[in-house]
Amino acid sequence: MTATTTTVFEQLESDVRSYSRMWPTVFDTAKGAWLRDENGKEYLDFFAGAGALNYGHNNPVLKRALIDYIVGNGITHGLDMATVAKRRLLETFRDRILGPRNLTYKVQFPGPTGTNAVEAALKLARKVTGRQSIISFTNAFHGMTLGSLSVTGNSMKRAGAGIPLVHATPMPFDNYFDGGTADFQWFARALDDSGSGINRPAAVIVETVQGEGGVNVARPEWLRALADLCARREILLIVDDVQMGCGRTGPFFSFEVAGIEPDIVTLSKSIGGYGLPLALTLFKPEFDIWAPGEHNGTFRGNNPAFVTAQVALEHYWSDDRLETSTLELGDRIHTRFVGLTEQFDGLSTRGRGLVQGLAFADASQAGKVSQIAYDNGLLVETSGPSDQVVKLLPPLTIADDELELGLGILADAVASVCRAKDAPV
Amino acid sequence: MTATTTTVFEQLESDVRSYSRMWPTVFDTAKGAWLRDENGKEYLDFFAGAGALNYGHNNPVLKRALIDYIVGNGITHGLDMATVAKRRLLETFRDRILGPRNLTYKVQFPGPTGTNAVEAALKLARKVTGRQSIISFTNAFHGMTLGSLSVTGNSMKRAGAGIPLVHATPMPFDNYFDGGTADFQWFARALDDSGSGINRPAAVIVETVQGEGGVNVARPEWLRALADLCARREILLIVDDVQMGCGRTGPFFSFEVAGIEPDIVTLSKSIGGYGLPLALTLFKPEFDIWAPGEHNGTFRGNNPAFVTAQVALEHYWSDDRLETSTLELGDRIHTRFVGLTEQFDGLSTRGRGLVQGLAFADASQAGKVSQIAYDNGLLVETSGPSDQVVKLLPPLTIADDELELGLGILADAVASVCRAKDAPV
Amino acid sequence: MTATTTTVFEQLESDVRSYSRMWPTVFDTAKGAWLRDENGKEYLDFFAGAGALNYGHNNPVLKRALIDYIVGNGITHGLDMATVAKRRLLETFRDRILGPRNLTYKVQFPGPTGTNAVEAALKLARKVTGRQSIISFTNAFHGMTLGSLSVTGNSMKRAGAGIPLVHATPMPFDNYFDGGTADFQWFARALDDSGSGINRPAAVIVETVQGEGGVNVARPEWLRALADLCARREILLIVDDVQMGCGRTGPFFSFEVAGIEPDIVTLSKSIGGYGLPLALTLFKPEFDIWAPGEHNGTFRGNNPAFVTAQVALEHYWSDDRLETSTLELGDRIHTRFVGLTEQFDGLSTRGRGLVQGLAFADASQAGKVSQIAYDNGLLVETSGPSDQVVKLLPPLTIADDELELGLGILADAVASVCRAKDAPV
Amino acid sequence: MTATTTTVFEQLESDVRSYSRMWPTVFDTAKGAWLRDENGKEYLDFFAGAGALNYGHNNPVLKRALIDYIVGNGITHGLDMATVAKRRLLETFRDRILGPRNLTYKVQFPGPTGTNAVEAALKLARKVTGRQSIISFTNAFHGMTLGSLSVTGNSMKRAGAGIPLVHATPMPFDNYFDGGTADFQWFARALDDSGSGINRPAAVIVETVQGEGGVNVARPEWLRALADLCARREILLIVDDVQMGCGRTGPFFSFEVAGIEPDIVTLSKSIGGYGLPLALTLFKPEFDIWAPGEHNGTFRGNNPAFVTAQVALEHYWSDDRLETSTLELGDRIHTRFVGLTEQFDGLSTRGRGLVQGLAFADASQAGKVSQIAYDNGLLVETSGPSDQVVKLLPPLTIADDELELGLGILADAVASVCRAKDAPV
């Protein structure tokens, strides 16, 4: 990587770019769990498009269907017109996802990105309840448009709004006080107390595992208590499954582990399967009070993504093999991470399925580990408010030996940065 | 089209869908200016994905490049990593678009939809100026996420927000009072008067031609006066060129006709060329004060769209043929529309390049004409606050005979709905 | 006036103080139209507590009743308890004010200042309509608390809020464009156009004469058109009569001249009669949907002010003598002002009843005139966005010779500042 | 009390009235701790104008000065002009209050009600810090204008706003979780965590004892911790001492018990001494960044209240006798209340100085006790979110036998409503 090759990015692209700074090369092609840069160097990918590539890069099953569709002049851009590709997707989503889980959600195509899905969810919750306020959680991440940003925790990103972000109140996420405080002590009490000053919320929006927030995992019993709280107060429960849905934590929906049924669910990232933009907002049929066209968007009918989404659902979700494998691989990472925490000072681990985090008491070490891993051919990101957590999001389809290879690179990086517990003082 | 075939849409898809109601068939394939439904019926497309398909459906030049890229395992999903495909796009955008027009904009990839581009523009304008308020215009349309919605005029769509939309004040668009009032009488006076109660705005956001608003065309002198007003008051001028950019009105940027240089420009819809989701926010380099990652989005690096965007720019914007042809075809439509207005009562016409509107004094006639056109194989949409304008957005690449065919269907529809001027009373 | 005497003000009182800068003496006693400072110098008062002293300082009729009440240990502080003093006031207000004008308003005691009355009016209008937005007018002044400030025009005062003031949209006041534009061209059109982007308002709030705004006088026909517009759109009309009510423009309510009946009316300043804090919010009985205690305030039952208010109504509003006299005195000032405009360059005049303004094309002259007047024993204030208008608000009870005396001082000041029309160049 | 006598209140006064419903008689005169209705029935007052009458009704010392001032034609209405009466007040406030406590506050006269003082405080805090958000506390009460209402807890009163109340976030008041949770666990953590989603606040506003909120007493150590937290985070601390200041809890300022020095302090209610409207906003001199006239108000110069305020300070605050007596009387009430809690089921007590609360586990009993007390000639109010607390606010100047008399009536009422602990089941 020389300065010359990045010139046009530095000259022309906005300073807002970030990954290109962390991984300063020019990528060219990709396949499965691997990216290759223009100099031919290969990188193992434990990042997977921030969770948008659960089935790996350029998955051959989806690729075949995509090429066939394009070659056959299938509709590319369809707004919300009925198309053959959309029908297939809806039918498959019904038959492979909703039906087997006894879910009756209506499906909205709100525009092809996660933040579109979240904005639609918030709008609908407000419209249904006639209330304005939303409860979000500490260290939540829901998107960069104004509605989604208002329920996002990160202060740097919030400052980007340029206007006060209001109509949302954060509450402590599960285990925010390290177990010392009863669940929902503040939230439940504030709702009960007519003098609390909390505006009665339209909805609660929650991630079951906060990826950007530092791989914070909500316990199933916490999620159930939250769902109960919402139900008793007639507050809608929105699960933002943009990153944790589509099997990332094992089951298709990340909330299945808790046995709850949210009122509204958002999906994006891996729902398109191939990394093409797509998003869904799901909601219980009694909440489908949208007027025709009341929410729209030019690219809500990204039909090539409908095709790859349909094939992905058909191929990976007709049985429970992917779910089982995801949990097994997750356990393997967890075991390795536990080993590291036993071996080195200042480490801890958390995760569910194939989102696994290694947290460093000294946040700067997380960045160093990530950088050393990059130098050794492994892409792995940090997250959390201080970027103190190395977050693993490998493709769910990663092979055993690829996972081992990556974990080895990571372990070496940790060893070169952290102090071993048995090290002489 | 039978009821059976739409079942899954009615059962499963949200009631928010709209085009599928107006055009109640199931589309399957498309090529150039034509769509075909699953029963084999063909429709001539004077709608072009609401302006997202300026180069027609499945344009063969772009299609070839897209398939090659996918076959070759080019990066599909890249966040804001540097990629070969992005570099080619940036270089071509610089060499074919910015350079020849003496523009020095920085380029942000804000997420792949128009509303992402608008949200980024509004955030940046607020960050740059430290002010919150935005001036929008009557009958503006900028998108459905909360920031964009706040500068959108349509009351039905605004009501979908579920919270009061504030921080924006509408002003009358050009010719709002049918020429009877001096330009900016109210806006300029309100800015000058320290007692006006108008919060000093961060920016003005404007479409040069309001497509959704009813094909309202701002005169070049009005745009120049607006740019002057903004410059004198140190208010940023944002041109939302999502629908009117990429040659829709003739030149690549719709504001070129006025000789102005906006501070911020948004592009989406046809910038990807092939109907794939893509959006850009452009701004003068001195305003590139984003912190890395301060605005982001999962699909901001939709590399297949980079590929088709690059080829489209290279192929269609290396000379002025497309611009010339667009203006010629626009003139031809205009001439035909003038003929209709002379022949029938209650019609008027407006437009620029290949966005042309036929306005009906009796709004219900516009809907009838659109419906009859559909029955006769022509897709054409209505727009405006009362849906009183039949709006033509054919592909810029439409062939002469296709244009004639469509105009003929439209003229017949008008004739069957409207009263001829020489008709006996 | 020496520096020593003001020491404690400069040391201890906030820099927010303003009148004490313009009139840098220490006032001691007052009677009728006269104030006396601690050095014994007397000042003729054409300012009357910014309209709070329509019956003059320490009016002897009211003073007698006030002293009797205090001596007799009448309730001083009563919250919203029923008291004998409040009953007398309500009965007199009904019999002398509401009844003769065929008005059926309910009376709220919202707290003893104008801004309390305005806040209650805005809250009620929003509660009644379920809408949030309020239409205000250019150069309006309604108060300094957050709700009232949001409908106030002055940019310096608005900036004091420290948060964006939203939920209100200003419209041009009568004659804002010097007669060149039809009334309500923009407002009425924006309401009719479902695409205008104007949030449908709960209410319009208007002063019939804008005192702080520069003695801008709304024509009766404009007020009628405004009332019609509101009625047709089911928007509540609030007349803020805090400064112009209680006879300032002649009739008790300033809107009587237009023959309209606002939905909500605010009164304060002179309603207490003696300069004691008091305010009323009046509204049509069908809008009295307050829950008990939903709006309250510690000093809403300022009973000494009830006493003086009652006596003032009884004494001054049992016949039409005060109204007649006010109009006559107003005419006299107007005639004198017309004379000045004929004699000197750059002057114009406007007013109604005993609020009369002399506007200076060169705003700095207004300040000089006011300062010279002060030096010569006359208190007179400037107003308007550039402080370009010398505003006269003498007590309605001022004697003829006092009025002449003051007008003489003022004319001399004008003569010493302005260029006579027949002056040699 | 017959229906006839209340007719005009029911006919003409808004339904918003509340005390007149609880105490359905027509009051006429008052003296010290006693009110008398028009039928000659006397009521002992343990309510004292909701804390506005700390020196009793029509206190003879103040009354003498007030009458002398009125008789002598002292300035009644003075805006913010310098007056002799204001100078005396400022000097006395400096010499008797600020100086002895080593406080250097500047004094603003923001308008004569508590909510004016709070609005000025919030505006100033936002202006000083450039931030918008305010932290308030559960069950806080700060006033009914829009800014004050946004930091008030009561949901019924908040609903009266008619717009979403934003820019404020409530936090748990001291002991909100009955001692089970460390102080500021949530608040401090949310400030530290850059991902918490809490907008960084301009200020915290707190009452040291929440009167309306149910006589919730903040411990001195909690107040100190709060002050420390604010200081470390450069957040301004506003103590709203409208009800608890002027000696209600013993010392002049209620925060003296904690040894803290707030950045901003609001005073109203008893600061005028005689029940006349007056309010002050105090702030450290470095925060006096107001522009002249940036905040104003017609009745901010209520000079008769300056006179009574000055005499009250001079008479009652030149030594520590009132403070000592207040604490002694408070102890006496507390002892009696403890006796009641021992005797009856479901009672608890809390308070400081002469604000004392008797809380009922069964909220309906509090209302019954208050009603029985009224029937027996004692005025006592309930407070708290469920009106579950009988709140005692007798005049600080109440005589021993008056206190005993009232406590006796109250004890009898309790005995007639509550179940004795030794009662047979």
Side-chain angles (χ1 to χ4, degrees), chain D residues 326-345:
Chain D
T326 296
L327 294 173
E328 285 171 3
L329 295 178
D331 284 347
R332 194 180 310 177
I333 298 175
H334 178 69
T335 303
R336 287 290 291 269
F337 276 7
V338 168
L340 291 173
T341 63
E342 290 167 348
Q343 203 176 346
F344 297 99
D345 272 342

Side-chain angles (χ1 to χ4, degrees), chain B residues 132 138-139 152-155 158 164-167 170-172 176-177 181 185-186 189 193-199 385, chain C residues 132 138-139 152-155 158 164-167 169-172 176-177 181 185-186 189 193-199 385:
Chain B
Q132 293 88 11
T138 49
N139 291 298
T152 289
N154 185 288
S155 61
R158 290 174 70 85
L165 293 172
V166 297
H167 300 301
M171 286 286 159
Y176 195 64
F177 302 114
T181 298
Q185 182 191 46
W186 167 227
R189 175 73 189 280
D193 182 354
S194 69
S196 70
I198 289 280
N199 295 327
Chain C
Q132 294 89 10
T138 50
N139 292 298
T152 289
N154 186 289
S155 61
R158 290 174 70 84
L165 294 172
V166 296
H167 300 301
T169 303
M171 286 284 159
Y176 194 65
F177 302 113
T181 298
Q185 182 191 47
W186 167 226
R189 176 71 190 278
D193 182 355
S194 68
S196 70
I198 290 279
N199 295 327

Side-chain angles (χ1 to χ4, degrees), chain D residues 40 45 55 84 122 126 141 168 175 181-182 201 220 222 244 255 260 273 284 314 323 347-348 371 391 403 419 425:
Chain D
D45 186 3
Y55 314 112
V84 172
L122 298 179
R126 285 164 166 153
F141 182 91
N175 205 30
T181 297
W222 186 85
M244 295 303 146
F255 54 79
I260 61 172
K284 294 183 176 168
E314 191 69 45
E323 176 172 349
L347 296 184
S348 59
Q371 209 52 52
K391 177 177 64 168
L403 188 64
R419 190 176 163 284
V425 183

